[in-house]
Amino acid sequence: MRVEIWSDIACPWCYVGKARFEKALEAFPHRDEVEVVHRSFELDPGRAKEDVQPVITMLTRKYGMSEAHAQAGEENLGAQAAAEGLDYRTRDRDHGNTFDMHRLLHFAKEQGRQDELLQILYRANFAEERSVFTEGDERLVELAVEAGLDAQAARTVLADPAAYADEVRADEREAAQLGATGVPFFVLDRTYGVSGAQPAEVFTQALTQAWGERSPLTLIDPGAGEACGPDGCAVPQH
């Protein structure tokens, strides 16, 4: 079974939701038969790369809330993250464009290190003092190396704005086609969707239901046609 997860590194609920989903997956009896694929979704795709601002400032300007309201929201998120065993800085974080991170995640997928890099990017953005937005490509290269990727290869990807750009945009188009208007967004075997950072129990229910309702393969005229198997290949008799 395949589970696809659309998310953004700048999304705190994606950070929390990933932990909750993984808790459910760890306890799922068929977890070794579940493939997890991370897909790209930008919360702020129109933001210029150099446009970096404090999270509280972004929240007050984008949603028209007061600073006190925005800070209370961050405190609540910090408590939610702590309940999942995650570190979360409720003050002095910043917000910026995540497109290069998504491009790097597609490169990491090819190298079999996508989940590792995603978790490292989340930790760097939500738990560490150093910014993932203001230090340039070398900060992302450093994190890529921590995830097991080659530094020069990561540097080459980041230096080419076209590298993996089509893959990111394709993920985003597909999210729109599936009806995803926010993240995290989980799709199980292209049959069930779960929106938001739901409790682990909801993910357990979704995994169980999706697994139980998988359609068995129907063979068309299984006796016809020569084939090869463990005992060798069929030899035509005429």
Side-chain angles (χ1 to χ4, degrees), residues 128-211:
E128 296 182 359
E129 291 187 15
R130 292 177 61 192
S131 174
V132 294
F133 300 107
T134 61
E135 296 188 26
D137 289 353
E138 284 307 304
R139 173 66 168 143
L140 297 184
V141 170
E142 176 187 314
L143 296 172
V145 169
E146 185 180 342
L149 298 169
D150 178 75
Q152 188 52 51
R155 196 172 287 117
T156 299
V157 169
L158 291 168
D160 178 6
Y164 300 96
D166 288 346
E167 287 82 348
V168 175
R169 298 305 184 210
D171 277 357
E172 293 174 337
R173 286 194 301 271
E174 197 164 12
Q177 291 166 0
L178 290 169
T181 57
V183 285
F185 188 68
F186 303 77
V187 176
L188 292 77
D189 259 0
R190 290 299 170 106
T191 303
Y192 292 99
V194 178
S195 180
Q198 301 283 354
E201 293 77 11
V202 174
F203 290 120
T204 297
Q205 179 183 352
L207 286 166
T208 301
Q209 188 167 346
W211 182 270

Side-chain angles (χ1 to χ4, degrees), residues 17-226:
K18 183 175 187 291
R20 291 176 177 173
F21 170 77
E22 288 175 348
K23 183 182 294 184
L25 183 61
E26 179 62 28
F28 186 56
H30 308 287
R31 62 184 180 276
D32 293 338
E33 298 173 74
V34 177
E35 176 192 12
V36 178
V37 178
H38 297 286
R39 302 280 190 199
S40 298
F41 189 106
E42 294 172 275
L43 290 175
D44 208 351
R47 180 177 291 271
K49 185 175 180 178
E50 63 276 7
D51 184 7
V52 179
Q53 60 184 179
V55 166
I56 297 300
T57 301
M58 180 274 294
L59 291 172
T60 59
R61 292 179 180 176
K62 187 172 184 178
Y63 300 107
M65 61 178 64
S66 67
E67 287 193 9
H69 188 187
Q71 187 59 54
E74 282 296 286
E75 298 295 339
N76 176 57
L77 278 163
Q80 298 275 351
E84 304 303 329
L86 301 171
D87 292 328
Y88 189 98
R89 295 177 68 239
T90 59
R91 297 179 183 272
D92 302 321
R93 288 193 306 108
D94 55 18
H95 176 81
N97 183 289
T98 57
F99 187 61
D100 285 348
M101 298 179 210
H102 284 293
R103 294 195 300 111
L104 201 57
L105 282 164
H106 275 277
F107 166 66
K109 180 183 176 183
E110 287 188 349
Q111 308 302 311
R113 309 298 295 177
Q114 186 187 48
D115 188 72
E116 289 83 355
L117 179 59
L118 180 60
Q119 192 61 34
I120 287 168
L121 288 170
Y122 277 146
R123 185 206 68 210
N125 185 41
F126 292 110
E128 296 182 359
E129 291 187 15
R130 292 177 61 192
S131 174
V132 294
F133 300 107
T134 61
E135 296 188 26
D137 289 353
E138 284 307 304
R139 173 66 168 143
L140 297 184
V141 170
E142 176 187 314
L143 296 172
V145 169
E146 185 180 342
L149 298 169
D150 178 75
Q152 188 52 51
R155 196 172 287 117
T156 299
V157 169
L158 291 168
D160 178 6
Y164 300 96
D166 288 346
E167 287 82 348
V168 175
R169 298 305 184 210
D171 277 357
E172 293 174 337
R173 286 194 301 271
E174 197 164 12
Q177 291 166 0
L178 290 169
T181 57
V183 285
F185 188 68
F186 303 77
V187 176
L188 292 77
D189 259 0
R190 290 299 170 106
T191 303
Y192 292 99
V194 178
S195 180
Q198 301 283 354
E201 293 77 11
V202 174
F203 290 120
T204 297
Q205 179 183 352
L207 286 166
T208 301
Q209 188 167 346
W211 182 270
E213 295 185 11
R214 290 176 307 144
S215 299
L217 185 68
T218 300
L219 292 178
I220 304 300
D221 195 7
E226 291 80 10

